[in-house]
Amino acid sequence: VQLQASGGGLVQAGGSLRLSCVASGSFLRINVMEWYRLTPGNQRELVASITRRTSGDTTSYSDAVKGRFIISRDDAKNTGYLQMNSLKPEDTAVYSCAGNIWTPSTGSKDYWGQGTQVTVSS
């Protein structure tokens, strides 16, 4: 399984971006997907997560992005998304996805994707 993140770029403050994280592989199930960011000051922050539960997915957000970012998952596409709205210059960071993914051959394991740069200009 590999995770491929994309969708970063340069945007003005107040704008929006949508990041995608595609899990490649067959017959996989994404149990948990998380988005992290590494700030210019090298601080890693868990931004958002989405967890599969029998009663329905649960999501959580850091206080810094709550109300502005939305995490989601499309099982048919094996893809997770991070919709980022009302972006601020302090959202500038390298965003990476991580997931706990199940496959018939490996069971549930943790995987990391590479980062995608998000730059918000003031």
Side-chain angles (χ1 to χ4, degrees):
V1 176
Q2 290 187 328
L3 295 179
Q4 179 77 35
S6 63
L10 173 64
V11 64
Q12 288 188 329
S16 298
L17 284 174
R18 188 177 78 158
L19 306 183
S20 299
C21 180
V22 179
S24 61
S26 300
F27 306 107
L28 62 85
R29 183 184 68 226
I30 301 173
N31 295 320
V32 179
M33 180 160 283
E34 299 170 326
W35 286 95
Y36 290 82
R37 65 186 181 187
L38 187 65
T39 67
N42 279 330
Q43 296 293 318
R44 175 175 285 177
E45 176 187 11
L46 175 59
V47 173
S49 67
I50 182 167
T51 302
R52 181 189 305 274
R53 301 194 189 281
T54 54
S55 57
D57 293 345
T58 59
T59 58
S60 66
Y61 301 90
S62 69
D63 288 342
V65 307
K66 195 174 296 182
R68 298 187 297 121
F69 290 11
I70 301 171
I71 190 171
S72 62
R73 189 188 68 241
D74 185 335
D75 288 333
K77 297 180 179 180
N78 290 334
T79 300
Y81 301 99
L82 185 68
Q83 177 67 42
M84 306 186 296
N85 301 317
S86 302
L87 283 162
K88 305 175 182 180
E90 51 263 44
D91 294 320
T92 294
V94 176
Y95 286 72
S96 300
C97 57
N100 180 272
I101 298 173
W102 177 91
T103 72
S105 59
T106 64
S108 294
K109 291 181 63 176
D110 294 333
Y111 299 88
W112 279 88
Q114 89 298 347
T116 184
Q117 176 71 46
V118 172
T119 303
V120 184
S121 63
S122 57

